[in-house]
Amino acid sequence: MDNNRKKNAQTAAVPVPAWKKNGGGFGFIAYANSRVEKLRDEGRYDAAYKLKMYLRRFIAYLGKNEVPFKDFDALLMRNYHTWLKNQELGRNTISLYIRNLKRVYKLAVNDGLAADINPFEGLDVSYHVKKEKNGLTLDEVKRLRSLNLSGESEMTVFARDIFLFTVYTKGMKSDDIFRLTKENIIDGRLTYRQHLTGKEISMPWESLMQEIADRYKRKGTTLLFPVITAKNPREQWKQYDGILHRINYSLKKLGEMIGLDYPLNLTVARHSWESMTKSVSISDIL
């Protein structure tokens, strides 16, 4: 008797996911939200945020907060695909929305919650590489660098500096830029390990890089660009996501100021380095 009570108490202490509480009536959205929570528990906040965003779009299409797995079929996916096209979204964006639902559905199949069928049959969810990538010319980089921003906000100046720093550091990703410290600069070289791949990168530390870094020196930190200051990983991600949005928002305005016919953002900075190295030397850029 005591053993049964102990066993029941242990069982009651374990939280039950929302998609399990409803017995046979659980649905795709509840299960997908449980995957969002799992990503957060693993510290993968960017992936969790994006999956939540894809779910919001799907819920907007459904017009309700749940769809049972038994109703998650090929007709539903074809109609959702058509609805996304009618929203005037790009081909790769639509593929991204569908592909993430497909990933969640496969996980549900593996968990024994959904039928092992293919509701996505006939839908092209592959990524199509763009033939042309937007990148600034050397002249446009120089125009951006010489812009008079005396009447603009600090964020606008910071956005311009981070864009130029990205170009000067051969397309360094922002995630790596905001992790740089003074210890990454040794004997006139910038050496760092890519956060995503772990690959070590080394290059000369040029005077224009130093000039930008000097503008953001702060006491009490060795970070070159001290914008990610939180200790908690989730709060760090929120700061990083927020600063990226503000930088890209400001860059769009800067792009208009130099007469671009497409939105300027940090992706353009990386492509600018790639495109310019085919026709100019690093000394020309710096």
Side-chain angles (χ1 to χ4, degrees):
M1 188 73 158
D2 290 338
N3 286 339
N4 287 338
R5 285 176 183 170
K6 186 176 180 180
K7 186 176 180 180
N8 290 338
Q10 289 174 338
T11 303
V14 178
V16 179
W19 51 269
K20 281 189 175 180
K21 289 179 180 178
N22 297 327
F26 56 77
F28 177 85
I29 302 299
Y31 177 74
N33 280 324
S34 78
R35 304 304 305 186
V36 171
E37 291 304 316
K38 187 174 187 299
L39 289 169
R40 287 173 180 160
D41 291 343
E42 294 171 351
R44 298 168 63 189
Y45 302 112
D46 191 55
Y49 172 81
K50 287 176 179 175
L51 179 54
K52 192 70 177 177
M53 179 181 68
Y54 303 140
L55 286 176
R56 286 198 194 104
R57 178 77 69 162
F58 185 45
I59 289 171
Y61 160 71
L62 291 173
K64 55 186 179 181
N65 293 323
E66 190 54 281
V67 55
F69 277 111
K70 64 181 179 62
D71 295 333
F72 197 98
D73 55 19
L75 178 60
L76 177 67
M77 285 299 97
R78 285 199 301 271
N79 288 341
Y80 180 48
H81 188 267
T82 301
W83 183 83
L84 288 172
K85 287 200 293 186
N86 290 337
Q87 304 298 304
E88 298 184 355
L89 299 174
R91 185 175 183 176
N92 285 334
T93 301
I94 292 172
S95 294
L96 196 60
Y97 281 116
I98 300 291
R99 196 160 59 242
N100 277 274
L101 295 188
K102 184 176 182 179
R103 187 177 294 119
V104 171
Y105 189 87
K106 283 186 175 180
L107 290 170
V109 171
N110 293 339
D111 283 341
L113 303 173
D116 189 6
I117 58 174
N118 184 12
F120 306 90
E121 187 174 3
L123 294 180
D124 180 8
V125 295
S126 60
Y127 178 80
H128 295 266
V129 178
K130 296 178 181 178
K131 293 181 180 179
E132 294 184 7
K133 297 179 179 179
N134 292 325
L136 299 192
T137 63
L138 176 58
D139 178 63
E140 289 168 337
V141 169
K142 289 181 176 179
R143 279 177 16 223
L144 179 64
R145 186 170 68 192
S146 62
L147 276 178
N148 181 359
L149 300 181
S150 56
E152 300 295 334
S153 67
E154 290 183 2
M155 178 50 65
T156 301
V157 177
F158 183 66
R160 194 257 304 266
D161 282 344
I162 294 298
F163 185 96
L164 293 174
F165 192 85
T166 301
V167 175
Y168 299 159
T169 54
K170 305 180 181 182
M172 186 188 295
K173 292 184 178 295
S174 53
D175 187 24
D176 293 321
I177 290 175
F178 297 142
R179 294 174 189 272
L180 290 177
T181 70
K182 296 174 184 176
E183 285 72 30
N184 290 112
I185 307 166
I186 303 172
D187 298 329
R189 294 192 68 82
L190 170 63
T191 303
Y192 71 101
R193 197 169 293 278
Q194 290 181 331
H195 179 65
L196 188 62
T197 67
K199 181 181 178 182
E200 185 175 277
I201 306 291
S202 185
M203 68 189 75
W205 180 249
E206 305 286 353
S207 59
L208 281 177
M209 300 177 190
Q210 185 67 57
E211 183 181 311
I212 291 174
D214 284 344
R215 285 199 277 274
Y216 301 98
K217 282 183 178 178
R218 298 290 184 274
K219 290 183 178 180
T221 180
T222 61
L223 289 170
L224 298 189
F225 303 99
V227 294
I228 312 298
T229 57
K231 302 297 182 184
N232 179 278
R234 186 169 184 176
E235 291 304 313
Q236 287 178 350
W237 175 81
K238 285 183 178 179
Q239 286 183 328
Y240 175 68
D241 187 62
I243 198 72
L244 277 191
H245 276 87
R246 284 176 291 192
I247 287 173
N248 283 322
Y249 179 83
S250 297
L251 285 176
K252 184 177 179 181
K253 177 181 178 181
L254 288 167
E256 293 170 355
M257 291 171 70
I258 63 172
L260 296 183
D261 59 0
Y262 58 85
L264 190 64
N265 54 43
L266 288 177
T267 300
V268 174
R270 292 193 290 275
H271 292 161
S272 297
W273 163 257
E274 294 168 3
S275 60
M276 282 190 296
T277 51
K278 296 175 183 176
S279 56
V280 301
S281 66
I282 184 65
S283 59
D284 291 327
I285 298 171
L286 296 171

